[in-house]
């Protein structure tokens, strides 16, 4: 199976009341490199003109975006609480 097909097997219990990752769009708009667009394996960071659009639903909780964000554009990153978040399935 290819990666997109494998990723589609995962289940997500999204906490609609509280995002586990929050970005500051003003900081992100000023970031020159925007590495989050490249590194997120779930492709949750998108570019709209110069603005970063982000939706935490579908997050694989890998933490890569937090590591590569050097401008502190990610103002909150924590694992989803309780039973929320990704449930990995391997086929
Ligand atoms: Fe994407 Fe991983 Fe960041 Fe989730 S933690 S938004 S999957 S890079």
């Amino acid at each position: 199976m290819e990666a997109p097909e494998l990723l589609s097997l995962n289940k997500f219990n999204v906490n609609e009341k509280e995002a586990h990752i929050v970005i500051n769009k003003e900081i992100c708009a000023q970031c020159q490199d925007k590495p989050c667009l490249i590194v997120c394996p779930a492709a949750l960071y998108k570019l709209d003109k110069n603005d970063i659009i982000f939706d935490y639903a579908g997050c694989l909780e890998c933490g890569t975006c937090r590591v590569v964000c050097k401008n502190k554009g990610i103002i909150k990153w924590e694992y989803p609480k309780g039973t929320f978040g990704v449930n990995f399935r391997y086929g």
Side-chain angles (χ1 to χ4, degrees):
M1 272 196 256
E2 299 290 323
E5 201 176 347
L6 284 167
L7 288 171
S8 71
L9 298 173
N10 296 326
K11 302 288 181 199
F12 298 91
N13 185 13
V14 179
N15 185 347
E16 303 286 354
K17 294 184 179 163
E18 185 180 354
H20 69 284
I21 301 174
V22 177
I23 66 169
N24 180 318
K25 289 189 172 192
E26 280 136 34
I27 294 173
C28 295
Q30 293 172 10
C31 175
Q32 294 297 309
D33 297 335
K34 296 181 177 40
C36 54
L37 294 171
I38 299 166
V39 300
C40 177
L44 299 180
Y45 293 87
K46 309 263 194 246
L47 196 59
D48 179 22
K49 295 183 182 135
N50 197 40
D51 293 330
I52 294 288
I53 308 295
F54 175 71
D55 183 0
Y56 62 94
C59 175
L60 301 171
E61 302 167 28
C62 66
T64 309
C65 55
R66 179 167 67 166
V67 172
V68 299
C69 180
K70 301 297 183 198
N71 293 323
K72 297 188 174 20
I74 297 174
I75 56 176
K76 175 184 174 186
W77 196 108
E78 59 188 35
Y79 287 107
K81 292 187 170 72
T83 58
F84 292 111
V86 65
N87 184 336
F88 290 104
R89 307 273 173 97
Y90 299 100

